[in-house]
Amino acid sequence: MPPPSRPRKRRRGGRATEAAAAEADALISLPRDVLDEILTRLGILDAVRTSALSRAWRRRWEALRSLDLSFPRLEDDKDAPKGLGAVDSILLRCPGCVRLFRAADIDEHYAGRVHDWLHVLSRRGVEILDLDFDKGFLPLPTSVFSCGRLTSLSLFGCAIPLLPAGVVAFPELRKLSLVNVRLPDYGEYLIEEIIDASPLLDFLVLTDVSFGGDYIREWVIQAPNLRHFTICSEINYGWVLEDLTSLRSAVIDLWDFVVDSKFAKFLLGVVQVRKLLVVTCNAPIYDEEEQKFEADKEFQNALWTDGMCANLHAVQMTGINWRRNEMVFIELILSKARLLHTLSISHGEKIVMPSEDALNELLRYKRASTEAQVLFKGKET
C-alpha cells in the first residue's frame, strides 16, 4: 500500500497574487464614479497597466467617461516621449471625453499626426490643450481652431497659422500661453481676434512671440476679465493695452522698450495691477554715448498721472542699470503707490552709476506709503 501523499504547500507568491487579485476585485465593486476618479488620477499609462490586476480590471480603463492624456518627456526618452506612439490606439479604444491633452517635445515624426489628433480631440470636447514642439517651429495645423471648448491653450515652439475664414476661436478660453512661437504677416490681428473672442480670459502669457512681415502695426489687447498678464519680447510689436480693469498681477520684460518713452503709454494699460515685476536685464548694452538716457518731459508727464500705481502692493525690478528713466520709474512707484508694501530691486551687468550713489538718491525719494520697504538684492544672478 503506497504511503499517503502529502498535501502540497501553496507558494507564498501564489497567496500574495490571490490576495492582490481579491483586493483588486473588491475595488472593482466600487461605484463607477469612484473608479473613474481613481483611474483618472493614475494617469493614462498607469491606468492601462491596471488591466494586469485581474480579469475584472481588464480593459476597465477603456470605459472611462473622461480621459486626461499627458505625455511628458521621461529621462530615458531620447527623442519625443515614447507614449506618443500610443495616442492613436488610446483614442481608438477609449471613446470617452478627453478633458486634457498634453504632449511634450513633439518632433517631425509625430508632427504629422497632430492634425488628426486635434480633429478627434475636438469631437471629444477637449478643454485643456498643451502642445510643446521640439524644434524648428513646426507648423501647427489649423484643426486646432476646431477645438471650440478649450478653456486653456498652451503652445510652445510652433508656427501658428491664420484663423480660417468664418471660424470663431475659443469662446470659452480662460488661459492662453504662447511661448517661442511664430505667426505670419498680420498674425498680430489673429491674437487680437482670439483675445477679443474670449470674454472669460483671465490669464495671458506672450513670451518671445514673433510676427512675419516688414511692418509693425498697432493691435489691441482688450480683456476686461484678465487677472494676470506676462509679456516678454525683444521687439515692441505694437501692443496697445485697453480695458484691463480686472488685472491684478503683471510681468513685463520688454528689453530696451522698458526705458523708452513709449513705455509710459504702455504702463497706463496696467494701472490696476497689485503686483508688478519689471525685468530689464535682457536690455541690450549701449556704448557710453548711447547710455546717456534722459527722462524727457514726455516720459515724465505720461507717467505722473493720478491713477498710476493706485493699487500696487508689491513691485520687483530685476536687472536694472540705474539709467535715468529707470530711476524716474522707481521715483514714480514710491511717490504714487499709497498701498505699496515692498519694492525689490536688483541690478544688472552694466550699471551707469555706482550702486551706492543710486541707493542714496533712491532713499531721498518721497514715499506715499508709510509701510513701503525698499529691498536691495544686489546683482541679478
Side-chain angles (χ1 to χ4, degrees):
M1 183 175 180
S5 58
R6 294 181 181 180
R8 294 181 181 180
K9 294 183 178 180
R10 292 187 178 181
R11 295 179 182 178
R12 293 183 179 180
R15 290 184 177 179
T17 302
E18 290 180 6
E23 291 179 4
D25 289 340
L27 284 174
I28 205 72
S29 64
L30 291 173
R32 177 172 180 172
D33 290 344
V34 176
L35 282 176
D36 285 355
E37 183 69 17
I38 292 173
L39 290 171
T40 301
R41 287 176 179 269
L42 284 176
I44 187 59
L45 298 181
D46 287 330
V48 172
R49 292 189 182 107
T50 61
S51 295
L53 290 176
S54 72
R55 183 175 299 176
W57 280 88
R58 192 170 300 166
R59 296 186 175 181
R60 173 60 184 81
W61 66 273
E62 296 180 18
L64 282 171
R65 287 177 285 193
S66 179
L67 285 174
D68 283 358
L69 302 180
S70 182
F71 303 96
R73 185 169 184 171
L74 304 177
E75 292 183 2
D76 60 342
D77 288 331
K78 295 181 179 180
D79 298 305
K82 296 176 182 176
L84 289 179
V87 171
D88 291 306
S89 176
I90 291 171
L91 292 177
L92 182 64
R93 295 173 63 179
C94 187
C97 297
V98 178
R99 189 187 69 91
L100 175 149
F101 185 87
R102 178 178 291 121
D105 295 316
I106 302 171
D107 58 17
E108 294 181 355
H109 178 73
Y110 289 108
R113 300 296 309 136
V114 173
H115 172 72
D116 292 332
W117 294 346
L118 290 173
H119 267 306
V120 176
L121 292 172
S122 68
R123 294 195 296 268
R124 303 286 183 87
V126 64
E127 298 177 14
I128 301 173
L129 183 63
D130 186 344
L131 301 179
D132 182 335
F133 290 80
D134 185 29
K135 55 186 176 182
F137 294 100
L138 296 172
L140 179 72
T142 55
S143 50
V144 68
F145 298 116
S146 66
C147 301
R149 295 188 59 185
L150 283 180
T151 60
S152 175
L153 175 63
S154 300
L155 299 174
F156 177 90
C158 61
I160 302 176
L162 292 176
L163 187 68
V167 175
V168 178
F170 319 129
E172 300 179 28
L173 199 65
R174 293 179 177 271
K175 174 186 175 181
L176 176 63
S177 176
L178 304 178
V179 179
N180 192 31
V181 299
R182 289 181 180 176
L183 290 99
D185 196 10
Y186 297 98
E188 55 268 49
Y189 297 140
L190 167 63
I191 299 181
E192 181 181 277
E193 189 172 352
I194 290 175
I195 295 173
D196 188 57
S198 307
L200 303 177
L201 190 70
D202 62 17
F203 189 96
L204 176 63
V205 174
L206 301 175
T207 297
D208 295 331
V209 177
S210 59
F211 302 92
D214 299 325
Y215 300 98
I216 295 177
R217 310 172 182 86
E218 283 196 350
W219 56 286
V220 177
I221 299 175
Q222 185 174 7
N225 289 308
L226 195 67
R227 297 180 64 83
H228 175 81
F229 180 39
T230 291
I231 186 164
C232 173
S233 179
E234 179 182 354
I235 300 173
N236 172 17
Y237 280 110
W239 322 275
V240 177
L241 306 183
E242 291 184 2
D243 195 21
L244 304 183
T245 53
S246 300
L247 199 64
R248 293 297 177 265
S249 61
V251 177
I252 301 173
D253 183 357
L254 298 178
W255 290 51
D256 55 342
F257 180 55
V258 172
V259 294
D260 189 277
S261 61
K262 296 179 181 178
F263 183 56
K265 180 180 178 182
F266 183 85
L267 280 176
L268 290 175
V270 296
V271 293
Q272 302 293 334
V273 296
R274 297 180 181 179
K275 295 181 180 180
L276 176 65
L277 169 59
V278 178
V279 182
T280 64
C281 58
N282 289 322
I285 304 301
Y286 302 89
D287 58 35
E288 291 184 1
E289 187 65 28
E290 291 176 318
Q291 274 185 348
K292 295 178 181 178
F293 289 97
E294 293 296 334
D296 58 22
K297 293 297 182 182
E298 179 184 356
F299 183 81
Q300 295 188 45
N301 291 338
L303 285 176
W304 293 84
T305 61
D306 291 336
M308 184 65 73
C309 310
N311 298 316
L312 274 176
H313 287 70
V315 177
Q316 182 178 352
M317 297 185 67
T318 65
I320 69 173
N321 288 308
W322 309 123
R323 291 173 286 192
R324 180 46 45 194
N325 278 1
E326 293 171 337
M327 298 300 287
V328 168
F329 181 67
I330 293 173
E331 184 179 6
L332 162 77
I333 296 296
L334 291 174
S335 63
K336 290 288 187 179
R338 298 179 180 179
L339 303 177
L340 186 68
H341 292 295
T342 58
L343 171 61
S344 177
I345 299 173
S346 62
H347 69 76
E349 294 282 348
K350 300 290 184 178
I351 56 177
V352 299
M353 73 169 79
S355 293
E356 183 177 354
D357 294 346
L359 291 173
N360 286 333
E361 178 180 338
L362 187 152
L363 291 174
R364 292 194 295 269
Y365 292 159
K366 178 183 176 182
R367 303 189 189 189
S369 171
T370 57
E371 299 181 3
Q373 298 183 25
V374 178
L375 307 179
F376 179 57
K377 300 296 185 67
K379 184 179 177 181
E380 176 69 14
T381 57

